[in-house]
């Protein structure tokens, strides 16, 4: 006798006890069955039970009502996990009927099968070469992070991309563990449904004793920023809940009562029962209902936003969900919804907590890619080493290209990118337009595939024709319909984010007009079953997987006969809606001829930058033209006629940067594009000298000023107290921090090797970063020598440079030397004489400086914040980059006597040096004029740069 046989008999006893008083069968019949089972149990025990069996007394059966005491391990296992193996006749069923344990097992297997595979897994012909090759969800799933709805409203939104921003965020599983009633929100393709499926899959797998898909897989630790597994598991204290998954769009379509009638829990149960009956699991319905009521479970209601707007369906669904939560109080309930749909509608669920899925972090992206290719290797597509190499190539491509990384933050599009990468043999297109083109082709290929099966002789039998065959139209005609629909939907979409709704009537009607002779209902079924480029969002509604596909197809539509006139008018008048479309249109036509790009730029930007009648449309036209040229045109080979257009656009971009009509984030983009074209501010013969002409430096008059602060915000890193007065002689300070282009010239001229080899990389008009204090000092010494020689030539030229002969003479004779500013000089230039908090005044303003609240998230070209200049004319002193000073890191007050200043500013002294000004990631109190930071002289960081001062050194 095996322990398993005894266990099955004891489980059957537990099941029979659970039926007492249920009304399913007369209690007398159940008692008779129990007597027989107990006799069988006694016989097995008498013959010698093996390890793992339970003695009769251990079951602690409760009398009446069908209850089972908590001490019954078998009963707990049976009712809570369904882990019953083998055939057991528990006496309830007629001959040939299945037991509750068997029905439960079949139900759990049905749930597991329905949740096991990744959406869109069939689009990749490289994953195995067969249409039916599917991607295991468990093999590639990566745990998702969330932020609270309050954080999203405050703009946190999980978009801090230095993975410091993920610290403190809770995983989606942790949210579900904490909140018995949870609405999980996210953008389309953000992973809501995937998370819901994965939870159901793991719960079902645990109950079925699956050796890989179980609670251990569900609670797997989150990845670190390198994609490696962490040490702390995600919390899950709820045990093995019985999962029930309901697609709300399907429930709304067939399960709700007529308009105006009250929706009840019974309607939901009838729908669930209908689903089970359709899968030949109808016998399990009463057991499922009893289990959820008595033991609890997890009800997953997926896609609340996909319930159709018409006929008040969402209000009815809201009634059902809230009523179910009240009646089935032991059940946990998870609802998923699009974020903006749930937040903007007046049907938020009472008593439900909210969480919002965050974009994928760097570590999550890396982990997904590694798992994707490891799974590809397990399917036999690649060898293990080959798969690892391809994964490394894909990670490099994603993190090297900003726009690609932006797409990869969304799980659905990361799946598409991985699929495309495998399809192309381990590489991706460099241009995002080409990436979208290839991805659209991939998805259209999926539509083009026939669905086949093999007959008994092994011959292929067509189950479903391709869409082109069904419509009797070619691929280009089908794509043309999608392009037209994308353009019309994009133009009419009320929101400027997310994807537009495309009605089923419009889609089917357009496709049917291509010549299809079949039943439109069959086409609808085809589109729902085979959707890849269009996804069903609700009953009768479709959408694109991401706004980028909608914009790309709209761009394709606008590259027809109306190009470039129509797209230029749209982009200038409504840039928030049409800018990306214009950029993609320019990239698309450039693949045909480079001249088309210049035609679009000319249509967008055709007037002079100094036109006094120019308005906002002209600014936006020039701004978008600059993006088109910077991203698409070959700027290494520009014809004479196009040089005129290029020069005009550069003038416009400089006007945009130095103005305040466009917001700071747009001015930063204009500065970047100007840097790619060649910034005219650095085009003079001696552009590497910030003093040629002398506009590169601004004068700071001799006199006293207020230094330091008693405000606690100024002492966050290092004490800025006490507030004191200090007098300085006249000096000159560079208007902007030293740029990449200036520092690069120094490196080429001297052969100097900085401590960090990354120094000098990036756009030329951005501040140089990753420089140590020693690197900055070396630059100043080189520049001082250049300026000294230049000054000796200039000192005899009276009246040049605005009459600054005296300045040139002072530099020529060494009375003024180039170097890093002292901490006192830096604060005087930034703060004026009145002790203000910021260079412009006492109130923080993200339009006047590049710091965290500005939202740029990186350094910006120098000069984008003219309104943030200090009284003396210095710019970018708050934010952008921390700036080295020559002063040692020491307490205040700052020495006022020459000897004390000499000791504090001694370049040969050991010890840390002070940095000032804050950087683009900092909070507002870190970019105050009095804020101080100490750093080791050999330290270098992507947040640290410097500027030059001309002063009488002590």
């Amino acid at each position: 006798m095996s322990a398993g046989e005894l266990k099955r008999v004891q489980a059957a006893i537990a099941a029979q006890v659970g039926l007492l008083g249920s009304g399913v069968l007369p209690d007398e019949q159940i008692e008779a069955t129990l007597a027989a089972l107990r006799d069988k149990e006694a016989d097995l025990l008498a013959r010698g039970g093996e390890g793992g069996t339970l003695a009769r007394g251990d079951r602690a059966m409760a009398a009446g009502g069908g209850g089972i005491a908590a001490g019954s391990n078998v009963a707990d296992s049976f009712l809570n996990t369904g882990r019953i193996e083998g055939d057991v006749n528990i006496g309830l069923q007629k001959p040939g009927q299945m037991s509750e344990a068997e029905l439960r097992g079949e139900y759990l297997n049905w749930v597991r099968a329905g949740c096991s595979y990744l959406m869109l897994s069939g689009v990749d012909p490289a994953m195995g070469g067969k249409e039916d090759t599917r991607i295991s969800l468990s093999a590639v799933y990566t745990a998702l992070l969330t932020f609270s709805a309050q954080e999203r409203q405050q703009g946190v939104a999980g978009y801090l991309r230095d993975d410091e921003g993920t610290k403190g965020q809770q995983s989606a599983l942790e949210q579900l563990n904490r909140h018995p009633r949870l609405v999980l929100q996210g953008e389309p393709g953000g992973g809501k449904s995937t998370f819901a499926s994965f939870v159901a899959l793991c719960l079902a797998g645990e109950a079925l004793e699956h050796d890989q898909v179980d609670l251990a897989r569900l609670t797997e630790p989150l990845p670190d920023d390198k994609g490696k597994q962490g040490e702390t598991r995600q919390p899950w204290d709820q045990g093995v809940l019985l999962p029930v998954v309901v697609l709300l769009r399907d429930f709304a379509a067939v399960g709700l009562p007529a308009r105006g009638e009250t929706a009840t829990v019974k309607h939901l149960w009838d729908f669930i029962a209908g689903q089970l009956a359709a899968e030949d699991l109808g016998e399990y319905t009463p057991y499922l209902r009893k289990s959820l009521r008595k033991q609890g479970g997890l009800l997953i209601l997926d896609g609340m936003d996909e319930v159709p707007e018409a006929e008040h369906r969402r209000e009815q669904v809201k009634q059902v969900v809230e009523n179910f939560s009240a009646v089935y109080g032991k059940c946990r309930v998870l609802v998923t919804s699009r974020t903006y749909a749930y937040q903007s509608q007046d049907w938020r669920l009472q008593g439900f907590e909210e969480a919002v899925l965050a974009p994928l972090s760097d570590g999550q992206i890396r982990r997904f890619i590694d798992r994707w290719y490891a799974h590809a290797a397990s399917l036999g597509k690649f060898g293990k080493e080959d798969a690892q190499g391809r994964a490394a190539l894909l990670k490099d491509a994603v993190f090297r290209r900003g726009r690609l990384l932006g797409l990869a933050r969304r799980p659905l599009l990361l799946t598409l990118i991985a699929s495309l990468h495998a399809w192309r043999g381990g590489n991706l297109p460099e241009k995002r337009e080409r990436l979208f083109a290839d991805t659209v082709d991939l998805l259209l290929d999926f539509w083009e595939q026939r669905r086949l099966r093999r007959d008994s002789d092994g011959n292929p039998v067509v189950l479903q024709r391709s869409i082109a065959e069904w419509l009797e139209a070619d691929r280009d005609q089908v794509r043309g319909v999608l392009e037209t629909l994308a353009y019309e939907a994009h133009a009419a979409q009320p929101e400027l984010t997310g994807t537009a709704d495309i009605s089923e009537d419009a889609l089917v009607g357009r496709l049917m007009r291509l010549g299809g002779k079949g039943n439109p209902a069959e086409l609808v079924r085809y589109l729902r079953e085979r959707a890849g480029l269009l996804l069903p969002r609700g009953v009768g509604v479709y959408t694109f997987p991401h706004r980028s596909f909608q914009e790309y197809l709209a761009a394709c539509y606008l590259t027809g006969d109306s190009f470039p006139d129509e797209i230029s008018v749209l982009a200038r008048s409504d840039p928030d809606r049409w800018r990306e479309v214009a950029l993609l249109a320019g990239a698309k036509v450039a693949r045909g001829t480079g001249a088309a790009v210049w035609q679009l730029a000319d249509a967008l930007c055709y007037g002079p930058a100094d036109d006094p009648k120019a308005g906002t449309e002209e600014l936006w036209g020039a701004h978008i033209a600059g993006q088109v040229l910077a991203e698409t045109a070959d700027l290494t080979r520009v014809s004479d006629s196009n040089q005129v257009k290029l020069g005009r656009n550069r003038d416009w971009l400089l006007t945009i940067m130095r103005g305040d009509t466009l917001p700071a984030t747009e001015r930063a983009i204009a500065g970047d594009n100007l840097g790619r074209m060649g910034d005219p501010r650095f085009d003079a013969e001696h552009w590497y000298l910030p003093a040629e002409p002398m506009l590169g430096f601004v004068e700071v008059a001799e006199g006293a000023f207020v230094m330091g602060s008693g405000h606690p915000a100024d002492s966050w890193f290092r004490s800025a107290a006490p507030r004191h007065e200090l007098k300085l002689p006249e000096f000159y300070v560079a208007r902007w921090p030293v740029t990449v282009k200036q520092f690069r010239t120094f490196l080429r001229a001297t052969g100097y090797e900085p401590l960090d080899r990354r120094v000098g990389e990036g756009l030329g008009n951005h501040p140089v970063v990753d420089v140590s204090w020693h690197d900055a000092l070396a630059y100043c010494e080189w520049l001082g020598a250049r300026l000294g020689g230049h000054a000796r030539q200039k000192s005899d030229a009276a009246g040049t440079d605005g009459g600054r002969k005296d300045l040139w003479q002072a530099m020529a004779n060494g009375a003024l030397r180039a170097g890093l500013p002292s901490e006192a000089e830096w604060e005087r230039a930034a703060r004026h004489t009145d002790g203000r908090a910021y260079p412009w005044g006492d109130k923080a303003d993200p339009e006047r400086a590049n710091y965290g609240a500005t939202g740029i998230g990186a350094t910006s070209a120098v000069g984008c914040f003219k309104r943030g200049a200090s009284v003396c004319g210095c710019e970018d002193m708050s934010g952008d980059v921390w700036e080295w000073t020559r002063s040692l890191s020491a307490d205040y007050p700052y020495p006022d006597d020459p000897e004390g200043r000499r000791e504090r500013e001694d370049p040969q002294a050991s010890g840390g040096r002070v940095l000032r000004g804050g950087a683009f990631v900092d909070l507002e109190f870190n970019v105050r004029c009095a804020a101080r930071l100490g750093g080791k002289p050999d330290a270098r960081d992507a947040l640290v740069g410097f500027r030059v001062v001309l002063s009488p050194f002590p």
Side-chain angles (χ1 to χ4, degrees):
M1 181 207 70
S2 70
E5 184 178 4
L6 176 59
K7 182 179 178 181
R8 286 194 292 272
V9 172
Q10 291 175 331
I13 292 172
Q16 288 295 289
V17 172
L19 291 173
L20 286 169
S22 67
V24 176
L25 287 173
D27 283 358
E28 295 81 3
Q29 181 177 342
I30 297 172
E31 291 287 2
T33 304
L34 274 171
L37 286 169
R38 284 168 177 157
D39 287 342
K40 179 66 173 178
E41 179 194 35
D43 180 64
L44 290 171
L45 288 171
R47 285 188 283 144
E50 298 177 12
T53 63
L54 297 175
R56 185 190 302 270
D58 291 338
R59 293 193 303 274
M61 300 290 184
I68 300 179
S72 172
N73 295 336
V74 172
D76 288 345
S77 174
F78 177 79
L79 291 177
N80 293 331
T81 70
R83 292 179 178 172
I84 303 301
E85 301 174 357
D87 297 325
V88 177
N89 185 324
I90 63 174
L92 130 75
Q93 69 276 10
K94 297 177 182 179
Q97 286 185 322
M98 298 177 68
S99 68
E100 180 181 353
E102 292 171 316
L103 289 170
R104 184 187 181 101
E106 290 208 351
Y107 168 78
L108 290 168
N109 274 311
W110 173 65
V111 171
R112 185 178 62 84
C115 298
S116 289
Y117 298 102
L118 193 65
M119 182 182 179
L120 293 181
S121 60
V123 304
D124 188 356
M127 293 305 294
K130 297 180 180 180
E131 285 189 349
D132 60 353
T133 299
R134 296 178 291 180
I135 306 303
S136 166
L137 174 58
S138 178
V140 301
Y141 179 82
T142 299
L144 301 176
L145 289 167
T146 68
F147 44 85
S148 69
Q150 181 181 8
E151 287 175 325
R152 185 180 186 278
Q153 292 168 359
Q154 293 174 345
V156 175
Y159 289 100
L160 293 175
R161 290 282 52 104
D162 60 355
D163 278 333
E164 293 293 323
T166 67
K167 291 181 179 178
Q169 288 182 334
Q170 295 179 352
S171 71
L173 183 64
E174 184 175 356
Q175 295 278 16
L176 184 59
N177 184 55
R178 289 181 60 198
H179 305 300
R181 310 283 183 267
L182 178 67
V183 177
L184 183 65
Q185 303 165 51
E187 300 306 317
K192 306 179 298 297
S193 297
T194 302
F195 169 74
S197 294
F198 186 69
V199 171
L201 172 65
C202 290
L203 290 175
E206 179 73 18
L208 293 166
E209 296 187 320
H210 196 285
D211 59 354
Q212 293 179 334
V213 183
D214 52 14
L215 289 184
R217 178 69 176 90
L218 180 66
T219 60
E220 189 177 63
L222 293 165
D224 62 18
D225 60 348
K226 300 298 183 182
K228 304 301 182 183
Q229 185 163 298
E231 297 179 357
T232 305
R233 284 193 170 276
Q234 300 174 74
W236 183 252
D237 308 316
Q238 312 309 320
V240 190
L241 299 180
L242 183 64
V244 180
V245 182
V246 174
L247 300 182
L248 285 175
R249 65 169 178 265
D250 295 339
F251 171 53
V254 300
L256 289 176
R259 178 179 179 178
E261 295 183 13
T262 301
T264 67
V265 176
K266 183 178 184 302
H267 290 104
L268 180 58
W269 267 117
D270 289 344
F271 174 76
I272 293 172
Q275 283 193 312
L276 294 180
E279 299 296 331
D280 200 22
L281 292 170
E283 294 172 76
Y284 186 59
T285 301
Y287 299 113
L288 174 63
R289 190 169 189 171
K290 180 192 69 174
S291 183
L292 294 180
R293 185 183 291 275
K294 290 189 174 184
Q295 281 77 43
L298 176 62
L299 176 65
I300 298 172
L301 302 170
D302 190 21
M304 192 163 187
D305 58 282
E306 297 179 6
V307 176
E309 293 277 7
E311 298 182 347
H312 305 284
R313 292 307 198 189
R314 281 179 172 158
E315 287 79 359
Q316 290 178 315
V317 170
K318 183 174 182 289
Q319 291 174 346
V320 171
V321 176
E322 291 176 348
N323 290 342
F324 182 94
S325 300
V327 174
Y328 288 81
K330 292 185 178 181
C331 281
R332 305 180 79 84
V333 182
L334 170 65
V335 178
T336 70
S337 176
R338 270 184 318 176
T339 306
Y340 80 83
Y342 189 78
Q343 294 293 329
S344 63
Q345 299 293 330
D346 188 24
W347 45 265
R348 296 169 75 168
L349 296 168
Q350 297 298 314
F352 278 70
E353 296 293 332
E354 298 177 24
V356 183
L357 284 175
L360 294 178
S361 68
D362 293 356
Q364 289 171 301
I365 292 172
R366 290 187 171 98
R367 175 179 280 190
F368 177 88
I369 292 172
D370 286 337
R371 285 182 166 171
W372 175 273
Y373 268 107
H375 187 51
S378 73
L379 294 175
K381 175 58 184 174
F382 308 114
K384 183 177 180 180
E385 291 186 2
D386 188 13
Q388 291 174 343
R390 289 169 184 261
L393 289 173
L394 179 54
K395 287 184 286 188
D396 178 70
V398 167
F399 289 99
R400 183 168 39 87
R401 295 157 59 179
R403 288 190 178 271
L404 189 58
L405 180 57
L407 292 178
R409 300 278 181 215
R410 182 166 296 185
L412 172 62
L413 295 185
L414 178 57
T415 303
L416 282 175
I417 290 169
S419 182
L420 180 61
H421 190 260
W423 188 35
R424 291 175 58 90
N427 62 81
L428 288 171
E430 286 297 320
K431 300 291 186 179
R432 74 179 185 283
E433 182 276 334
R434 184 71 258 182
L435 174 67
F436 291 134
D438 286 356
T439 306
V440 167
D441 285 342
L442 186 154
L443 294 173
L444 286 175
D445 277 344
F446 180 50
W447 266 5
E448 285 290 297
Q449 294 172 2
R450 294 175 168 184
R451 282 189 172 172
L452 306 174
R453 68 171 176 83
R454 299 284 177 177
D455 61 19
S456 58
D457 297 326
N459 300 315
V461 177
V462 177
L463 294 178
Q464 192 178 66
R465 294 174 293 170
S466 72
I467 192 169
E469 291 175 323
W470 198 96
L471 294 170
E472 299 180 2
D474 63 33
R475 181 193 186 101
D476 289 341
Q477 289 176 299
V478 173
R479 179 169 175 148
V481 168
L482 298 178
E483 291 173 0
T484 302
L485 288 170
Y487 165 74
E488 293 173 350
H490 193 72
Q493 185 180 358
E495 304 89 359
L496 294 176
T497 59
T499 53
D501 289 343
I502 297 175
S503 73
E504 192 168 79
D505 290 343
L507 175 60
V508 172
R510 292 285 180 85
L511 290 174
M512 290 295 293
R513 286 199 290 273
L514 293 179
K517 298 178 182 178
N519 186 335
E522 295 179 22
L523 179 58
V524 169
R525 184 165 57 253
Y526 182 98
L527 293 171
R528 283 197 170 274
E529 292 177 357
R530 302 291 292 272
L533 189 55
L534 282 172
L535 303 176
R537 173 136 66 186
V539 177
V541 179
Y542 293 82
T543 191
F544 293 100
H546 189 270
R547 186 175 178 85
S548 296
F549 293 102
Q550 176 178 305
E551 291 169 327
Y552 169 71
L553 291 169
C556 293
Y557 175 86
L558 288 167
T559 55
D561 295 339
S562 67
F563 182 85
D565 297 331
E566 185 176 4
I567 185 58
S568 63
V569 170
L570 291 170
R572 285 163 60 97
S573 61
D574 191 359
D576 289 339
R577 185 182 302 273
W578 294 105
R579 172 180 21 195
E580 181 65 14
V581 177
L583 297 177
L584 291 169
K588 182 177 184 297
V589 297
R591 288 198 280 125
T593 171
V597 179
W598 292 98
Q599 292 173 2
L600 177 57
D602 195 40
L604 287 164
C605 176
Y606 48 81
D610 57 359
D611 184 355
K613 297 181 180 180
T616 303
E617 283 197 13
E618 284 72 25
L619 286 171
W620 275 110
H623 185 32
I624 296 172
Q627 285 187 269
V628 169
L629 293 177
E631 292 184 7
T632 305
D634 182 359
L635 297 177
T636 64
R637 296 184 300 173
V638 182
S639 66
D640 291 342
S641 61
N642 288 335
Q643 284 285 1
V644 175
K645 300 172 186 176
L646 181 63
R648 179 170 65 232
N649 193 247
R650 290 167 65 184
D651 292 342
W652 269 105
L653 293 181
L654 191 55
T655 298
I656 291 169
M657 284 178 58
R658 304 296 286 159
D660 59 4
T661 302
L662 299 192
T665 50
E666 299 298 340
R667 300 198 303 271
I669 293 173
D672 289 353
N673 291 329
L674 184 64
R676 295 182 179 100
M677 295 179 186
D679 194 326
R681 294 175 295 176
F682 303 101
D683 277 351
E685 180 183 359
H686 300 289
W687 54 262
Y688 56 86
L689 303 179
E692 176 59 36
M694 288 307 295
L695 295 175
F697 286 86
V698 298
E699 180 181 356
V700 182
E702 178 182 7
F705 76 104
V706 176
M707 187 174 186
S709 168
H711 196 293
D714 293 318
S715 298
W716 181 260
F717 293 115
R718 184 173 181 85
S719 175
R723 183 181 171 100
H724 56 289
E725 190 174 272
L726 195 68
K727 185 177 180 179
L728 294 177
E730 178 187 60
F731 63 95
Y732 299 83
V733 64
R735 183 182 303 275
W736 299 307
V738 172
T739 64
V740 168
K741 193 170 187 180
Q742 290 167 337
F743 200 85
R744 193 183 296 150
T745 300
F746 154 65
L747 295 177
R748 291 172 179 169
T750 63
Y752 178 85
E753 294 187 2
L755 294 178
D756 193 321
R757 294 187 178 276
R758 294 173 297 178
V759 176
E761 295 179 355
L763 292 174
N765 59 358
H766 279 235
V768 67
V769 294
D770 290 310
V771 285
S772 69
W773 185 81
H774 298 293
D775 295 335
L777 214 60
Y779 176 89
C780 291
E781 291 174 357
W782 168 80
L783 181 64
R786 288 294 186 107
L787 286 173
H790 207 67
R792 287 187 285 274
Q793 297 175 15
K794 284 281 189 177
S795 60
D796 296 329
T800 61
D801 294 303
R804 297 318 310 268
K805 183 178 180 180
D806 57 336
L807 179 57
W808 287 118
Q809 288 176 337
M811 293 170 59
N813 61 31
L816 289 176
R817 294 171 54 193
L820 292 173
S822 70
E823 189 178 5
E825 288 169 339
W826 191 98
E827 187 166 335
R828 166 64 180 89
R831 202 176 187 189
H832 193 48
T833 60
D834 54 9
R836 62 184 59 198
Y838 299 95
W840 55 86
D842 288 327
K843 186 177 180 180
D845 186 347
E847 285 296 311
R848 294 176 185 263
N850 180 10
Y851 61 101
T854 311
I856 294 172
T859 60
S860 51
V862 298
C864 289
F865 295 89
K866 186 177 180 180
R867 290 179 60 228
S870 63
V871 173
C872 68
C874 279
E875 299 179 28
D876 302 337
M877 298 200 81
S878 277
D880 216 3
V881 292
W882 286 94
E883 299 180 13
W884 286 112
T885 72
R886 67 176 185 266
S887 299
L888 288 163
S889 182
D891 293 335
Y892 279 174
Y894 201 85
D896 196 19
D897 61 290
E899 183 60 30
R901 288 183 58 201
R902 185 177 294 110
E903 292 180 2
R904 180 69 71 98
E905 300 163 15
D906 182 2
Q908 304 303 320
S910 61
R913 301 286 167 165
V914 173
L915 299 100
R916 302 297 293 266
F920 61 86
V921 299
D922 281 302
L923 299 173
E924 61 183 47
F925 56 80
N926 289 341
V927 299
R928 291 165 63 95
C929 294
R932 311 171 72 208
L933 180 67
K936 296 180 179 179
D938 58 351
R940 55 267 191 205
D941 192 276
L943 306 179
V944 174
F946 69 101
R947 75 176 68 214
V948 180
V949 70
L950 303 176
S951 64
F953 278 45

